[in-house]
Amino acid sequence: MLKKEAKEITGGLSKPSKMPGPAYNLPAPMCITGSTLVDVINSVCNGCYALKGRYNFPNVKAALARRLQSLQHPQWVFAMTVLIKGEEVFRWHDSGDLQSVQHLKNIFEVCSRTPDTMHWLPTREAKFLPLSTDSIPKNLIIRVSGTKVNGAAPSFWPWTSQVTDGKGKTCPAPEQGGKCQSCRQCWDRSIPNIVYGKH
């Protein structure tokens, strides 16, 4: 399969300026948990960046909608593999989140087919996660996000993230022009928790 066809099937990858590699995003309003949290004061989804700015441009909204629709395509796994192969790192969902157990299983398959790429999947959809981490491909880290700004990290999962509006952040991006640069903490299984500054 050529990359041109793979892009047509999947809607293509996104290129967040902060990231050291490509990503795949979905419409933030379709987040299952996030669409509830967005109206909760002091939740990490309240004031969501993916509901503002360029995400509201008509062409961006259209691209996000195409990607959401593409999840049902029978060749989605193969097409995503074609687009990701050769990348050092990949982020799942710089906007949006998991839609179903099958969606996660398909991501697992893509990760298994791209063993030289480190994958990072932040999520709040804990109900779709496997009971054991043994089934997760070794090149994928799933970080379950805390729900409250300055709140505790989830305790039921080995890899997590939190958001703070004060001290204690471990993500260096704010001091690096908003970019990851050489940092790969989010993709590192040896780091159990990442603390991001509220943005």
Side-chain angles (χ1 to χ4, degrees), residues 117-189:
T117 300
M118 295 187 299
H119 295 258
W120 161 39
L121 169 60
T123 187
R124 290 186 186 86
E125 306 300 347
K127 59 184 171 294
F128 297 142
L129 299 181
L131 295 177
S132 167
T133 59
D134 294 343
S135 63
I136 301 174
K138 299 304 181 190
N139 61 328
L140 168 64
I141 183 167
I142 300 175
R143 289 195 183 275
V144 177
S145 307
T147 58
K148 293 283 188 181
V149 176
N150 300 321
S155 60
F156 64 89
W157 193 253
W159 306 292
T160 56
S161 69
Q162 297 165 270
V163 173
T164 180
D165 62 2
K167 295 180 180 180
K169 67 179 182 298
T170 56
C171 170
E175 285 74 46
Q176 299 177 165
K179 299 181 183 298
C180 298
Q181 294 188 7
S182 62
C183 180
R184 299 293 182 271
Q185 290 185 78
C186 295
W187 289 269
D188 191 340
R189 282 187 171 209

Side-chain angles (χ1 to χ4, degrees), residues 31-190:
C31 290
I32 299 168
T33 299
S35 62
T36 300
L37 290 175
V38 74
D39 295 320
V40 178
I41 301 300
N42 203 44
S43 82
V44 295
C45 296
N46 187 244
C48 175
Y49 67 86
L51 295 173
K52 300 180 288 189
R54 67 179 185 83
Y55 289 95
N56 285 317
F57 294 171
N59 62 320
V60 174
K61 282 187 170 183
L64 292 168
R66 284 196 303 273
R67 292 185 187 116
L68 182 66
Q69 186 64 33
S70 78
L71 298 179
Q72 309 304 319
H73 196 287
Q75 289 187 291
W76 185 85
V77 168
F78 186 35
M80 287 297 293
T81 301
V82 168
L83 294 178
I84 294 172
K85 192 163 284 188
E87 298 289 347
E88 176 203 355
V89 294
F90 188 79
R91 175 179 175 173
W92 292 94
H93 311 142
D94 54 301
S95 73
D97 207 334
L98 292 171
Q99 298 295 300
S100 66
V101 170
Q102 187 59 52
H103 183 191
L104 181 59
K105 287 180 178 178
N106 288 348
I107 289 173
F108 282 7
E109 184 61 28
V110 173
C111 294
S112 295
R113 294 184 185 198
T114 54
D116 296 327
T117 300
M118 295 187 299
H119 295 258
W120 161 39
L121 169 60
T123 187
R124 290 186 186 86
E125 306 300 347
K127 59 184 171 294
F128 297 142
L129 299 181
L131 295 177
S132 167
T133 59
D134 294 343
S135 63
I136 301 174
K138 299 304 181 190
N139 61 328
L140 168 64
I141 183 167
I142 300 175
R143 289 195 183 275
V144 177
S145 307
T147 58
K148 293 283 188 181
V149 176
N150 300 321
S155 60
F156 64 89
W157 193 253
W159 306 292
T160 56
S161 69
Q162 297 165 270
V163 173
T164 180
D165 62 2
K167 295 180 180 180
K169 67 179 182 298
T170 56
C171 170
E175 285 74 46
Q176 299 177 165
K179 299 181 183 298
C180 298
Q181 294 188 7
S182 62
C183 180
R184 299 293 182 271
Q185 290 185 78
C186 295
W187 289 269
D188 191 340
R189 282 187 171 209
S190 72

